[in-house]
Amino acid sequence: DDKYLAELAQETAKKLGASLDKETARYIVDNVGKNIALVTNEVEKYAAACNYEKITKDIVDAIGVKTLEARIFDVIDLICSKKPVKALETLNILYSQGTDEIAVVGALATAFIDIHRCKLAKKKGISYQKVHDDFEKRSNVYRYQKAMNNSNKFSEKALEDIIALMLRTDIALKSSAIDKRHLIDILVTQIIVKGMAA
């Protein structure tokens, strides 16, 4: 699980003569996912980059790989901060890594469904931990913590509209000749507008 992988990251750093705190170890795991070899390889890379001293979050951000889910977390944060240009730049990084546009919209949709679930749960006084346990116990609880925080940025109606927009965009991506990235750019802008109107 994530705790084991974070401990493995710390142990790998220690063997190499570098230091790695618990929080940064968890951050590395959040970025690369549940691949043991990838976690180990990344820690080795970070240790060399810091000259086998302290591995920091800045080093991880500068040279680390990120899974689609981790990049989408970044995009959602930028959308919630009303920074469309930065959000689109982050999406361009995903495209440059060969990520399919349909996969991007799928990941965005998953994130906003989480936010909508957390919005409804919060209204009833239910914690993000309970939402996590009820829906996807095997996933990282951090995902629902982020979703609960981001649910403050949108009204319930806005989130319903955003999920409908996601569905329409997904259908258009699969059936239209329109440039896929242009459709996603429009989607991101529409989401930000919905958040502003919330």
Side-chain angles (χ1 to χ4, degrees):
D1 63 1
D2 291 348
K3 186 180 176 187
Y4 165 74
L5 287 169
E7 287 170 357
L8 174 67
Q10 286 185 287
E11 190 59 36
T12 302
K14 189 176 176 182
K15 283 178 182 172
L16 293 165
S19 67
L20 174 63
D21 63 47
K22 190 183 291 185
E23 187 181 340
T24 308
R26 286 298 297 269
Y27 184 65
I28 291 167
V29 173
D30 286 340
N31 278 353
V32 303
K34 301 180 190 302
N35 184 317
I36 290 173
L38 190 52
V39 169
T40 305
N41 290 344
E42 285 296 286
V43 172
E44 289 172 354
K45 183 170 72 177
Y46 305 142
C50 72
N51 201 24
Y52 302 95
E53 293 178 0
K54 182 176 174 60
I55 298 171
T56 64
K57 187 172 175 289
D58 287 344
I59 288 170
V60 176
D61 283 340
I63 64 169
V65 301
K66 283 194 173 188
T67 60
L68 173 59
E69 185 180 51
R71 286 281 182 207
I72 292 299
F73 279 153
D74 293 342
V75 172
I76 300 291
D77 283 344
L78 292 165
I79 286 171
C80 290
S81 304
K82 299 177 176 62
K83 295 178 179 173
V85 175
K86 287 283 185 187
L88 296 175
E89 283 174 359
T90 305
L91 287 175
N92 283 331
I93 292 169
L94 282 169
Y95 303 145
S96 70
Q97 293 170 342
T99 308
D100 180 70
E101 291 86 355
I102 292 170
V104 167
V105 171
L108 281 169
T110 298
F112 272 97
I113 288 167
D114 288 347
I115 293 169
H116 186 247
R117 282 175 180 164
C118 286
K119 184 78 176 178
L120 297 176
K122 195 170 189 177
K123 196 171 152 183
K124 296 179 180 177
I126 298 168
S127 70
Y128 68 82
Q129 180 75 55
K130 181 76 168 69
V131 181
H132 165 264
D133 293 347
D134 286 349
F135 285 98
E136 290 192 62
K137 207 166 186 177
R138 289 186 177 182
S139 70
N140 192 333
V141 70
Y142 173 73
R143 169 177 150 185
Y144 285 92
Q145 184 180 5
K146 292 277 289 179
M148 187 66 86
N149 290 339
N150 286 330
S151 71
N152 297 325
K153 308 286 173 59
F154 301 91
S155 69
E156 200 176 311
K157 175 69 167 60
L159 287 167
E160 288 168 4
D161 290 346
I162 287 166
I163 291 166
L165 283 170
M166 296 279 183
L167 180 59
R168 284 202 294 273
T169 303
D170 184 63
I171 291 167
L173 284 173
K174 293 169 181 172
S175 61
S176 168
I178 299 170
D179 180 79
K180 289 182 171 63
R181 294 179 191 179
H182 180 63
L183 284 171
I184 296 173
D185 290 355
I186 292 169
L187 173 65
V188 169
T189 307
Q190 287 174 321
I191 293 169
I192 290 170
V193 170
K194 292 286 180 189
M196 287 175 172

